Amino acid sequence: MRKTIPLIAAAAALVASAGTAQAQSGFALKGHYLFNASDVENRDTQTPVADGFSVGAEFVLPFSLGVGVTAYTTGKATEVDRESTSFGVLAEANYFIDIPLLPVTPYVGVHGGLGQYTIEDAGAADPEFKDSRTQLGWQVGARFQFSQLIGLDAQYRRVSESASEDQGGDLERDQVLVGITLF
């Protein structure tokens, strides 16, 4: 019984402090593990189907609108090769729905692809916009604020690559992202 009293007190303090944390506004860095599922039956396409990771930056305005840029790739972070590994870049906008007294903030948003690049392309002095892989889509998610500086994100993203004339509607995929946000 003596050992459980400090554990109960620590859990109560954690719940009380988490209940006061709400979605933050301002600049944030994000990192996610990405689970990919593709509707494509032909695996010879450019659509990534392996799980991967993403990194990004976001600026959440005081009126709960977040705008940001995210880059994602498939495969393990330890297997990234400078010449051959490509990554997609997305511009996104999310609207955060503040729920008073709860540390969970749901959000909805849209995103558009800014092209597919390699690390070598990104390191060039003047990288060109590449629309070889146009993407449009939407996302829903929730952010749990552990503290004023750290949030845990869970997001479902629907990606459509049928926006370009040379791409068909077969390049649809679902992504589930789980990661952290640092304010």
Side-chain angles (χ1 to χ4, degrees):
M1 180 72 175
R2 280 189 149 169
K3 291 181 181 180
T4 58
I5 291 174
L7 291 175
I8 292 171
L14 180 63
V15 169
S17 68
T20 60
Q22 293 181 347
Q24 298 297 303
S25 61
F27 181 74
L29 297 174
K30 306 186 299 184
H32 293 97
Y33 186 80
L34 184 134
F35 300 92
N36 246 332
S38 178
D39 295 346
V40 178
E41 292 183 18
N42 179 2
R43 300 296 182 205
D44 295 333
T45 65
Q46 292 183 357
T47 304
V49 294
D51 295 342
F53 62 95
S54 72
V55 293
E58 174 180 61
F59 189 77
V60 182
L61 300 163
F63 50 90
S64 300
L65 179 66
V67 292
V69 176
T70 301
Y72 70 92
T73 190
T74 58
K76 297 178 181 177
T78 57
E79 297 173 355
V80 172
D81 178 24
R82 181 174 174 84
E83 286 83 29
S84 63
T85 300
S86 63
F87 59 92
V89 178
L90 297 175
E92 60 183 338
N94 294 309
Y95 180 73
F96 292 89
I97 304 162
D98 252 342
I99 302 173
L101 302 176
L102 287 182
V104 177
T105 305
Y107 59 91
V108 296
V110 294
H111 64 267
L114 299 177
Q116 184 173 355
Y117 304 87
T118 64
I119 296 172
E120 189 175 14
D121 292 337
D126 188 23
E128 290 184 25
F129 174 78
K130 294 186 177 182
D131 62 355
S132 61
R133 193 159 149 217
T134 307
Q135 302 173 358
L136 294 173
W138 53 271
Q139 64 260 1
V140 295
R143 180 170 292 161
F144 178 81
Q145 288 292 144
F146 285 110
S147 71
Q148 296 293 328
L149 301 176
I150 300 174
L152 175 67
D153 277 349
Q155 181 186 105
Y156 168 79
R157 181 188 292 162
R158 181 66 176 171
V159 179
S160 172
E161 295 188 352
S162 60
S164 179
E165 292 177 11
D166 60 343
Q167 296 172 168
D170 296 333
L171 298 177
E172 306 286 324
R173 70 179 178 278
D174 301 311
Q175 296 177 336
V176 175
L177 292 83
V178 178
I180 59 170
T181 302
L182 303 173
F183 284 90

